Amino acid sequence: MSLRTIITLLCLVLLASPLWAAESLRELIDDRGRRVQFVKTPERIISLLPSITESLCALGACSRIVGTDRFSDFPASVKRLPKLGDLDDLQWEQIRVLKPDVVLASKSMRQIERLETLGIRVLALDSQTHEDIRRSLRLLGTLLGDAEAGERLWQVIDRDIASARALLPDALKQASVYVELGPSMHAAGPASFLGQTVQLLGLRNVVSPSMGPFPKLSTEWLLGVQPRWLILQSDPSGERHKRPGWKGLSALQEGRFCALAPGDFDVLVRPGPRLGEAAHLLVHCLSQAAQRAHEKRAGVGPREDRQHA
């Protein structure tokens, strides 16, 4: 090979290098508005939120997750992964040992800055509404190397919610509902992802938009609005019944409540890829509860009811 040929090849390599680097560099903007750069697709990912863990797996990236928060439990395979604490108490040494390419966390997590000071790349996500979830899925798809994957997944979710709406009995359409998120009586407001699902199903939320996405309410307030239906987490211990005035709810007296088992309740309250499944759970549970309430009014013989309000 002549000297001129060698010099020509070297020049081509040098000229091509900046172009290659520019094409390989991927810059993503997270929900803090922070620009985060990646020179390659992450292969070692830590997820510090159950909905993010589920989203990664739904996008086909379960095998890239090397650790999660302590609440991530779906799909079953992630239960075997190292558990790294929660929003307020992280296992810092274990995170360092895992050498993640990126940590995915909630925008509200207080330890993000500390993670970044340790040289760990962080993408912070916010998932309060359907549009937030859609945007997060798109961002994760791009992070994983398939910019269209997130939107494809969202379209599946959207179709699932629509199919659930079609299954809602006519008698339940526009019925008023109260969706409780836990024993502290925080509820799903219309602006929340769960409140938006309720509206898309054709139900009416008793919480007004002015009260915010997840307002903390009281039994007194609930007694005043008397929702037609209650959507709750099951309460086998009976602690909810000890609330002063709770038994004064007509929905409770007449069996118009839907009490979800812990696993199903997790599906309902996690803003991730199982939104469509959550919509179907709501319709199924309300339909069954409506049938039980009808039989109670009609004086049909007692049936075993393992749900607890």
Side-chain angles (χ1 to χ4, degrees):
M1 183 180 294
S2 67
L3 179 61
R4 177 177 293 179
T5 302
I6 293 173
I7 293 174
T8 300
L9 290 172
L10 286 173
C11 287
L12 288 172
V13 169
L14 291 173
L15 286 170
S17 294
L19 179 61
W20 176 87
E23 289 176 345
S24 297
L25 185 66
R26 182 179 300 137
E27 183 177 81
L28 301 178
I29 301 176
D30 70 6
D31 286 337
R32 299 171 294 170
R34 188 75 56 87
R35 296 178 181 274
V36 185
Q37 294 184 338
F38 297 85
V39 295
K40 64 176 183 177
T41 301
E43 295 296 332
R44 297 182 61 80
I45 301 173
I46 286 176
S47 168
L48 296 179
L49 204 63
S51 57
I52 295 176
T53 303
E54 294 183 17
S55 296
L56 288 170
C57 289
L59 290 166
C62 248
S63 62
R64 302 191 200 184
I65 304 174
V66 296
T68 75
D69 63 285
R70 67 187 180 95
F71 298 110
S72 287
D73 58 4
F74 185 88
S77 59
V78 304
K79 294 179 181 180
R80 300 190 295 269
L81 294 171
K83 298 304 174 186
L84 307 172
D86 54 34
L87 294 178
D88 298 314
D89 182 25
L90 292 180
Q91 304 297 314
W92 295 99
E93 180 60 23
Q94 200 169 6
I95 290 174
R96 187 188 65 80
V97 169
L98 288 172
K99 298 181 179 179
D101 296 323
V102 64
V103 170
L104 304 174
S106 167
K107 176 185 173 182
S108 62
M109 185 177 180
R110 292 195 292 269
Q111 290 93 339
I112 288 178
E113 289 188 6
R114 182 176 174 185
L115 284 166
E116 290 178 326
T117 60
L118 295 175
I120 297 172
R121 193 179 284 107
V122 178
L123 270 181
L125 305 178
D126 190 21
S127 299
Q128 293 196 46
T129 68
H130 279 200
E131 189 53 41
D132 289 339
I133 297 167
R134 185 178 191 175
R135 183 180 64 252
S136 294
L137 291 174
R138 287 172 169 173
L139 186 69
L140 291 174
T142 302
L143 174 70
L144 297 170
D146 185 348
E148 304 302 321
E151 182 61 24
R152 288 196 302 270
L153 179 54
W154 176 259
Q155 292 304 320
V156 172
I157 294 169
D158 199 38
R159 288 194 297 271
D160 285 346
I161 294 174
S163 67
R165 177 189 174 94
L167 295 173
L168 187 73
D170 289 342
L172 291 174
K173 290 177 180 176
Q174 290 306 307
S176 62
V177 298
Y178 162 74
V179 185
E180 187 173 283
L181 303 179
S184 61
M185 288 194 71
H186 281 87
S192 69
F193 71 92
L194 187 47
Q196 289 175 331
T197 298
V198 165
Q199 181 179 1
L200 287 171
L201 289 175
L203 299 164
R204 181 169 59 85
N205 199 327
V206 293
V207 178
S208 66
S210 63
M211 299 173 75
F214 300 108
K216 183 175 182 178
L217 305 176
S218 66
T219 303
E220 291 75 19
W221 181 89
L222 204 56
L223 288 168
V225 297
Q226 288 290 346
R228 182 71 180 167
W229 291 93
L230 308 175
I231 299 170
L232 314 159
Q233 185 174 15
S234 61
D235 180 31
S237 67
E239 286 298 313
R240 195 180 287 118
H241 272 285
K242 298 178 183 178
R243 294 175 181 172
W246 183 253
K247 294 180 181 179
L249 291 167
S250 59
L252 195 64
Q253 296 167 7
E254 298 170 16
R256 290 183 275 106
F257 64 87
C258 185
L260 296 168
D264 288 342
F265 195 74
D266 283 345
V267 175
L268 187 68
V269 300
R270 290 180 180 177
R274 294 195 284 172
L275 273 180
E277 183 180 342
H280 277 273
L281 275 172
L282 276 178
V283 170
H284 177 70
C285 193
L286 285 171
S287 299
Q288 285 194 326
Q291 180 63 30
R292 288 195 302 271
H294 173 75
E295 291 174 356
K296 182 178 180 180
R297 290 193 304 271
V300 177
R303 296 174 58 189
E304 183 179 8
D305 186 358
R306 295 179 182 174
Q307 298 193 72
H308 301 266

